[in-house]
Amino acid sequence: MADYDEIIRYIQSMQVIEKLSSKYLHYLKSDRDDFVQEMYIIILTIPKDKITALFERNELVRYIIQIIKNQLFNPKSNFSKKFERNIKKIPLQKDDKD
């Protein structure tokens, strides 16, 4: 049986969230680091017994991918509410010095 602390250290040391989310990060309007940090907060708020059970059934990676997709693509997600909604893209103006 895997220890919760070992699972969390594994997720962090292997950069699981960064690697799994890299495929979807081009959808971000906000900073990548904000997203990764928010994902770690979400993972750390999941009950320890649930994380351990998911890890033992080899379902933790799939579960994290679903959280990533939900946070990025659901306009009602915590991440979207905190970071994505209020960001406006400002077009860059061409420099006239050229």
Side-chain angles (χ1 to χ4, degrees):
M1 185 168 157
D3 179 41
Y4 173 79
D5 293 330
E6 291 174 8
I7 296 169
I8 297 301
R9 278 194 296 274
Y10 169 78
I11 290 171
Q12 192 275 329
S13 68
M14 297 299 293
Q15 297 185 327
V16 171
I17 292 173
E18 291 86 341
K19 290 176 183 174
L20 293 175
S21 62
S22 66
K23 175 178 176 179
Y24 305 103
L25 290 178
H26 63 278
Y27 291 104
L28 281 178
K29 295 177 188 173
S30 57
D31 186 50
R32 176 180 187 262
D33 293 336
D34 289 338
F35 179 75
V36 171
Q37 183 176 17
E38 190 69 20
M39 285 300 304
Y40 276 111
I41 291 170
I42 291 168
I43 298 299
L44 292 171
T45 59
I46 297 171
K48 292 180 180 184
D49 57 337
K50 184 170 186 172
I51 291 283
T52 305
L54 287 166
F55 185 79
E56 289 175 356
R57 294 190 313 255
N58 291 325
E59 296 176 357
L60 185 58
V61 169
R62 185 180 55 81
Y63 190 78
I64 292 173
I65 290 171
Q66 285 306 117
I67 295 172
I68 290 169
K69 287 181 178 180
N70 183 50
Q71 293 301 308
L72 286 175
F73 302 123
N74 184 348
K76 295 182 180 183
S77 72
N78 287 339
F79 181 76
S80 180
K81 288 177 186 176
K82 287 181 185 177
F83 298 101
E84 295 283 292
R85 283 191 185 167
N86 298 322
I87 293 180
K88 296 178 183 175
K89 290 188 175 179
I90 300 173
L92 296 175
Q93 295 181 358
K94 188 174 180 180
D95 193 10
D96 293 334
K97 296 178 183 177
D98 294 333

